[in-house]
Each structure stands twice: as structure tokens, then as C-alpha cells.
Amino acid sequence: MEKILLNQGEEIMDLLLKYFSNLNNQQLNQLKKLYPLYLEWNDKINIISRNDIHHLYERHVLHSLSIAKIMSFNSGAKILDVGTGGGFPGIPLAILFPDVKFHLIDSIGKKIKVVNAIIEELELKNASADHMRVQDVKQKFDFIVSRAVTNLPNFVNITRKALITTKADTSSGILYLKGGDFMNELDEIKLDYKIYALSEVFEELFFETKKLVHIYNKS
């Protein structure tokens, strides 16, 4: 186990600094803690598949941080992570943007139990998590982030009311991580959008078919 953790530590340093060279020591330490934390919790509550747990940094952490390669959040911005599962993309983004407020929600209570434990362990002061459905959210947020929890038209319908602004620009909106062919889903959305290919950001094979969709109000 110690050898696995050591190897993971060396690999994540290389992988993260390859794309995020400005990470400070606190951020690096928090990111490095994720693997042993998720490994421990996964033995109790299966929140990440057995095939994925040893690829945590590529398939979950780096995938989450891809949003930061394309979109920067202003200090004090409020971000809602819908269907966060084990805390993605919210927890890695909260580490990267300490001056931004992140609220993570999921309809499955045991997952939020893990998310809250990891937030506490990492001492993330800018992140919170609740067991709830997005339909019950009363607050408003600058951005909504998520990783393919449902089809895009349905996701837009159930989350759009939680956006803080109706401005017709790209300074707010939905940031949705999704793979495969989903152009037919976009045809049903009556909003503007931009699609970013993550293969243009990361060279790892995992990202070959992965995309980030930014959905916002028509100008």
C-alpha cells in the first residue's frame, strides 16, 4: 500500500504540474491527499469504480480541472456542482479557486457523506455540500457545473432557474463535461453554447472524446 501511495504521489506531481504549473504548496498538498482519502472511503462506500480508483487523477481530478483550462471564475463567484457524486468537479475546482464559493449537491446521501468528510479533511473553507435535488435549490449561482448526470436538455431544464443572472453573455451559465456524440441533444436547447474539445487541452488518450459544453443565454 505504501508503495502504491508513493508511486501515485510521484505520478500526480508530474501530471498536475504538466498542466497547472502555478499550483502552490497548499494546493499541491490538498490534491495529493485526494488519492489516499478516496482509497480509504471507497473501501467503505463505493463511490468510484474499481477500474477508475487507480486512475483518480487523470479520469476525475484532471477531468474536473479541465474547466479551469477554459473558464476562469472571478473572486467571490458562486458555483453550484449538480450531481457531484464523490465530489467532482467541485472539490478539485475548490482547491484551484480558493476565493470562489462552491456548493456541491447530490440526491444520494451516502455520497454527500463522503464529500463532506473530504472537504473537512482538506480544510476547504470555500466548499460546502448538501444532500438534495437541484429542483429544491433556493440560492442563485454564477455558474452550474456537472459531469454528464443526465441528457443535456433535461439538465438545462432542471438547473437553469438556479443561475444568478439572465445576462446574454458568457460570464455565467452551465459548464457541462460530457463525452461521445451529443449534438442531437444540443439541437433541443434554445440557448447559445460553445463546445471545447478537451483533446486540445490534454494529450492523454482518456480525453480524446471528452468535451466541455458552455451553455448560456442567447445574445
Side-chain angles (χ1 to χ4, degrees), residues 13 30 182:
M13 288 289 286
Q30 288 172 321
F182 51 87

Side-chain angles (χ1 to χ4, degrees), residues 30-44:
Q30 288 172 321
L31 289 166
K32 285 173 67 175
K33 285 181 179 179
L34 292 178
Y35 181 70
L37 284 172
Y38 279 105
L39 201 62
E40 179 183 354
W41 274 106
N42 227 43
D43 285 339
K44 305 171 186 175

Side-chain angles (χ1 to χ4, degrees), residues 68-217:
K69 299 296 285 186
I70 293 162
M71 183 68 60
S72 182
F73 302 125
N74 294 327
S75 178
K78 296 194 295 182
I79 315 297
L80 177 66
D81 178 1
V82 175
T84 189
F88 303 101
I91 286 178
L93 288 172
I95 292 171
L96 201 66
F97 294 99
D99 297 326
V100 174
K101 302 289 186 181
F102 290 86
H103 190 56
L104 289 60
I105 63 171
D106 201 282
S107 60
I108 301 176
K110 65 180 182 179
K111 293 183 178 181
I112 290 299
K113 176 183 177 180
V114 175
V115 171
N116 273 316
I118 291 175
I119 287 173
E120 182 177 356
E121 184 69 27
L122 296 178
E123 299 182 351
L124 284 175
K125 306 302 183 185
N126 62 325
S128 58
D130 274 317
H131 172 209
M132 66 187 305
R133 304 184 312 153
V134 66
Q135 293 91 330
D136 299 322
V137 171
K138 304 301 182 186
Q139 301 177 56
K140 301 289 185 178
F141 296 84
D142 295 288
F143 283 95
I144 295 170
V145 299
S146 189
R147 294 204 306 168
V149 296
T150 184
N151 66 72
L152 272 166
N154 183 54
F155 188 80
V156 171
N157 288 336
I158 65 175
T159 62
R160 192 178 173 196
K161 69 178 182 62
L163 287 172
I164 201 169
T165 178
T166 57
K167 290 189 298 183
D169 59 30
T170 59
S171 64
S172 66
I174 296 168
L175 298 168
Y176 203 65
L177 290 164
K178 194 168 174 68
D181 183 8
F182 51 87
M183 293 307 296
N184 61 324
E185 295 180 24
L186 289 169
D187 291 340
E188 300 180 37
I189 296 174
K190 308 305 181 184
L191 297 168
D192 280 344
Y193 61 83
K194 291 184 179 180
I195 302 173
Y196 301 91
L198 299 190
S199 60
E200 297 179 5
V201 178
F202 303 124
E203 64 182 17
E204 285 73 19
L205 186 61
F206 172 77
F207 297 101
E208 185 175 3
T209 62
K210 299 293 188 292
K211 305 286 195 304
L212 173 65
V213 186
H214 181 197
I215 302 167
Y216 51 95
N217 286 318

